[in-house]
Every structure is written in structure tokens, then in C-alpha cells.
Amino acid sequence: MNVEIQGYPSKRALVAKICGDIDHHTAKYFRGEIDKAIRNANPLVLVLDFSEVTFMDSSGIGLVMGRYKIMSEMDGEVVVANPPAYIRKVLQLAGIHRLTRIITDISSYTVQKNSEEEKETSEEVAEDDKIKESDEIEAETYK
Amino acid sequence: MKLKRKPINEIKVCFPSYSENERFARIAVSGFLTQLDPQIDELADVKTAVSEGVTNAIVHGYRDCLGEILLQIKIYDDRQVYIKIRDKGCGIADVEQAMQPLFTTAPEEERAGLGFAVMESFMDRVRVKSKPGEGTTLILEKKLKSRKL
């Protein structure tokens, strides 16, 4: 169980790839990690990549709806990517497809139109930003 | 009057209401049901319903304390699956209200209030017996499709 989070600053997109089961026990961890990344990156689009999710119950609905609320407050949106069939069933039952788009191709949020070189540079910058911001957060915690 | 049928196999598992055991309950049910060779989507339905039921016992039944959860599974020769999840937690004062979609008493935990809606949609029958202060018994039933090749 883990979540791989990658920022794409030029698209103002944040992709969170959730791996493993989403239940009440694990949702707390996923929620914490994703919300921390949202605060740091301030994205316009949060892509929840469900391609590696092995199980999901209504705790996953809560996870999506909670992030939808946060992103809406920032005038942003949530997109759900690649849910396996059995997870799609749970999402549809809750009407999640009426709140967020469900997509099968995330490349429009991750692939740069320009050269590879530029991509690397922008990612490095993003990495620096992240480090800086996490330092600031830590500094606040220790005040 | 309905005759009491004899199951072809059954298990009873007791475990404390740690949230880690939500996963254990799913693995127990899918492990036990493999002898019926269920279809993948049917097994996913049952696992999801059990996960909801056990989570309810942990989040709501034993909201302020740790307690014991009993998971009982019986299977019958016609591929009927009977699952009982029992807690001795706080119980539910108004079962009908608790089963309403979007009703939740734990919004701070980001509970969507869809547990019963999921169970009802994924199982053939869902029954709840509860008494405040005494606990809740949830019964889930589903008949698996036959596996004719």
C-alpha cells in the first residue's frame, strides 16, 4: 500500500497513483499524503490514478469526495483515471461520475508538448519548490 | 414456515475491532468462498459488502472502544452464501435511518454514508438487527451464479 505523487507544474497538475486496497484503514494514510501534496503544489487538477488499486469500498468514495471538496474550494478539479471494472462499479453506485471526469489516458496532464529537455528543467524546479515548501512546513511545526 | 437447511460448510472467526482487520475479513471471506469457484466480479461484490459491514462495526459499533467482531460464513449446496457480522458495540437506535444513503454519524472521518447502499446493491439481501447498548447483527446473503462450463 502506497501512493506515488508526481507534480507537473507546467500543467498545474498533480498525479496521485494509489497502489493497493482502499478501505477505512488505508484511506487515512492516502488522504494525508495527497492533501500534503495539494498544499505544497497548489494544483488546478488533481488526477487520482486508480490503475493500481486492488480493492475499494465506500471509503474510496469518501476519499474522492473529500478531495473534490478541497479542489473545488481552490477552483480546481478532480479527475479519476483508469479505475478497474470492479472499482468503476463502486464509483458509479455513488454517482462519482457526475462530480468528476473518469478518464483512461492521463498523458494530457503529464506529457509536455515541448522538448524533453524542458520537461526535465521544469521538474527540477518543481522538486526544489517542494523541498523549500516542506522545509517551511517543518519550520512551522517546530515553532 | 421455512425449513432450516444445513450448510455444506461454515466458519466462524472472531477478531478485535482494529481497522487492520478490515483487510483480514475480506481475505477470510474470499479464501473461504474459493471452494465455490465464484466469478471474479461476484467475489469482489461479496468482499466489498463484508468490508462495509466490518467497517461499520469498527467505526460505529465500537466507536469509543475496542471490542470483538464475529464473522460467520455459511455456504449451501445451491451456492447460497450466508454471512453474519456481529458486534457488541453501541447499537443503532434507528436502523431505517442508518440505512438511508448518505446518512452518516461520522462525517469527520470522511465516511460517505454509502455503506448500506453498497451492501444492498452488491448482495441479494441485507438484514440488520440492533439494540442500542447491546450491539448489531448484520446478515448478508447472496446466491452465486452456477459455474457450468
Side-chain angles (χ1 to χ4, degrees):
Chain A
M1 173 208 55
N2 74 311
V3 54
E4 296 162 16
I5 300 173
Q6 177 82 52
Y8 298 89
S10 67
K11 308 266 181 181
R12 302 234 12 225
L14 193 69
V15 178
K17 186 181 189 176
I18 298 170
C19 307
D21 288 9
I22 307 177
D23 62 13
H24 154 256
H25 179 69
T26 61
K28 239 176 277 176
Y29 164 78
F30 292 135
R31 192 163 76 201
E33 292 298 303
I34 295 169
D35 289 355
K36 198 163 65 186
I38 292 175
R39 281 194 300 272
N40 286 344
N42 197 25
L44 282 178
V45 185
L46 171 69
V47 180
L48 295 172
D49 185 347
F50 275 30
S51 58
E52 300 291 320
V53 175
T54 45
F55 171 85
M56 186 184 107
D57 63 17
S58 69
S59 313
I61 306 292
L63 184 73
V64 177
M65 292 204 317
R67 310 295 73 67
Y68 170 81
K69 216 173 133 195
I70 291 172
M71 290 304 293
S72 296
E73 279 162 10
M74 296 161 61
D75 288 320
E77 68 164 327
V78 174
V79 177
V80 172
N82 297 310
Y86 47 91
I87 285 163
R88 200 174 272 261
K89 205 167 153 186
V90 183
L91 290 170
Q92 267 164 358
L93 182 92
I96 289 291
H97 53 290
R98 287 194 288 269
L99 296 181
T100 71
R101 281 183 297 132
I102 297 179
I103 60 165
T104 50
D105 179 16
I106 63 167
S107 62
S108 61
Y109 299 107
T110 57
V111 177
Q112 299 282 326
K113 277 177 197 154
N114 302 324
S115 69
E116 275 300 300
E117 207 179 340
E118 199 172 314
K119 183 181 168 183
E120 273 171 29
T121 332
S122 63
E123 270 176 0
E124 270 167 35
V125 173
E127 208 50 48
D128 285 348
D129 280 351
K130 253 188 222 164
I131 292 162
K132 208 176 86 190
E133 280 178 44
S134 60
D135 281 349
E136 279 167 16
I137 289 168
E138 259 171 64
E140 274 170 37
T141 326
Y142 288 113
K143 256 176 206 171
Chain B
M1 206 183 98
K2 219 173 151 184
L3 282 169
K4 207 164 184 188
R5 288 191 298 156
K6 208 174 173 317
I8 54 169
N9 201 353
E10 69 177 299
I11 56 157
K12 276 183 194 171
V13 199
C14 273
F15 50 87
S17 59
Y18 297 125
S19 57
E20 285 88 343
N21 286 332
E22 292 155 10
R23 182 179 163 81
F24 165 73
R26 294 195 296 274
I27 292 169
V29 74
S30 71
F32 186 67
L33 292 184
T34 47
Q35 62 194 293
L36 293 176
D37 188 22
Q39 289 175 12
I40 290 169
D41 59 331
E42 284 183 313
L43 189 59
D45 288 355
V46 177
K47 273 171 73 180
T48 312
V50 166
S51 195
E52 300 292 353
V54 170
T55 303
N56 276 351
I58 293 170
V59 175
H60 302 293
Y62 295 120
R63 169 175 278 222
D64 304 312
C65 57
L66 186 72
E68 194 171 75
I69 297 169
L70 171 79
L71 169 68
Q72 183 179 15
I73 313 169
K74 293 183 197 175
I75 52 174
Y76 295 89
D77 56 3
D78 61 351
R79 299 175 68 77
Q80 180 78 16
V81 177
Y82 170 101
I83 298 167
K84 185 151 104 179
I85 298 164
R86 197 191 67 200
D87 70 66
K88 289 184 174 169
C90 66
I92 306 166
D94 187 341
V95 172
E96 208 179 311
Q97 182 190 40
M99 291 178 81
Q100 287 298 313
L102 304 177
F103 176 83
T104 182
T105 50
E108 73 285 355
E109 287 231 38
E110 279 192 355
R111 306 302 305 159
L114 290 170
F116 278 114
V118 168
M119 288 187 256
E120 284 180 326
S121 139
F122 289 177
M123 300 298 283
D124 297 338
R125 194 168 180 212
V126 179
R127 282 179 286 163
V128 181
K129 283 180 248 170
S130 191
K131 247 190 194 163
E134 285 181 26
T136 301
T137 302
L138 170 74
I139 293 162
L140 305 166
E141 285 169 288
K142 189 179 182 79
K143 192 167 177 170
L144 302 181
K145 288 178 206 128
S146 65
R147 284 289 245 183
K148 278 179 200 140
L149 297 170

